[in-house]
Amino acid sequence: MSLFGDGLDAAVQKAFTRPAPRSAPAQMRYLVKQLKGTKAVAQMLRISQRTVERYVKDQIKKPRPELAARIEREVKKRWQPQIRAKAKAKAATTGGIVIDTRARMGYTAPIGSTDDARIRHLTVALPPQYAARLFDAQEAGATDQQLRQIAAEGLRETYFQDDGRRAGQLEEVRFTDIEHLEFEL
């Protein structure tokens, strides 16, 4: 589970115009329609094709918890792709992304400054270029550490350096011990 990846996905899911299917049979029918067949769904979910068919026909209604989580994750990954793309494009071009976090932050700066890391609760609007970098990195399969680094660079520029108006010699922001992280488009 990726803290940053899941946070970005949750932010995009808030833009959905309709709720995703909730019951297991409805979710399974949606996946069968998207993947054009029960065999592809069965392979993706690592279950038998007959089990998929039984969900589609409402013969099984309640999956085991781990299967229910896999089904829900796959449905949400595919739900409303055009709305998802529009939300990402808007954030990457004009809107930017808001990050709300409570984490330990410190920075590397010249000698004589107070660079000790401490717990901070920040709600900062990152500019569109950082939203674009975050979404592009996520699409490319970036690790949580790489996404954290991009967010730290955005916080350095926007919060600590105030878009170049202060702390010009600030070199690196350390972003660790994350207690809370939420993104908003």
Side-chain angles (χ1 to χ4, degrees), residues 15 19 29 101 120 127 148 150 156 169-171 178:
R29 283 189 289 275
T101 186
R120 298 174 194 248
R148 180 189 310 222
I150 294 169
R156 181 190 73 203
Q169 298 90 2
L170 196 65
E171 297 167 12
I178 299 170

Side-chain angles (χ1 to χ4, degrees), residues 2 8 16 19 27 39 43 65 74-75 79 82-83 96 101 108 117 127 137 144 154 168 173-174 178 185:
S2 166
L8 290 170
F16 289 166
Q27 290 174 332
K39 186 174 184 179
Q43 289 174 343
E74 293 300 329
V75 167
W79 188 249
Q82 292 173 336
I83 302 289
T101 186
T108 305
D144 214 37
V173 171
R174 290 183 303 278
I178 299 170
L185 301 180

Side-chain angles (χ1 to χ4, degrees), residues 44-101:
M44 178 188 62
L45 295 174
R46 299 183 310 275
I47 57 177
S48 72
Q49 186 174 353
R50 179 68 185 128
T51 303
V52 172
E53 292 166 358
R54 290 174 63 204
Y55 275 108
V56 169
K57 292 179 183 177
D58 275 338
Q59 293 173 345
I60 304 176
K61 297 183 188 285
K62 192 83 171 144
R64 345 181 263 288
E66 67 274 2
L67 178 58
R70 284 197 314 257
I71 293 170
E72 186 173 349
R73 185 175 51 247
E74 293 300 329
V75 167
K76 285 189 175 182
K77 190 188 311 183
R78 290 167 174 75
W79 188 249
Q80 293 192 330
Q82 292 173 336
I83 302 289
R84 180 186 308 270
K86 283 181 187 178
K88 286 181 178 181
K90 181 180 177 196
T93 56
T94 58
I97 193 166
V98 176
I99 182 172
D100 178 40
T101 186

Side-chain angles (χ1 to χ4, degrees), residues 1 37 50 65 90 140 152 175 184:
M1 242 208 226
R50 179 68 185 128
K90 181 180 177 196
F175 188 19
E184 188 76 36

Side-chain angles (χ1 to χ4, degrees), residues 10-24:
V12 171
Q13 289 171 8
K14 290 177 186 173
F16 289 166
T17 56
R18 292 178 302 145
R22 292 208 177 122
S23 72

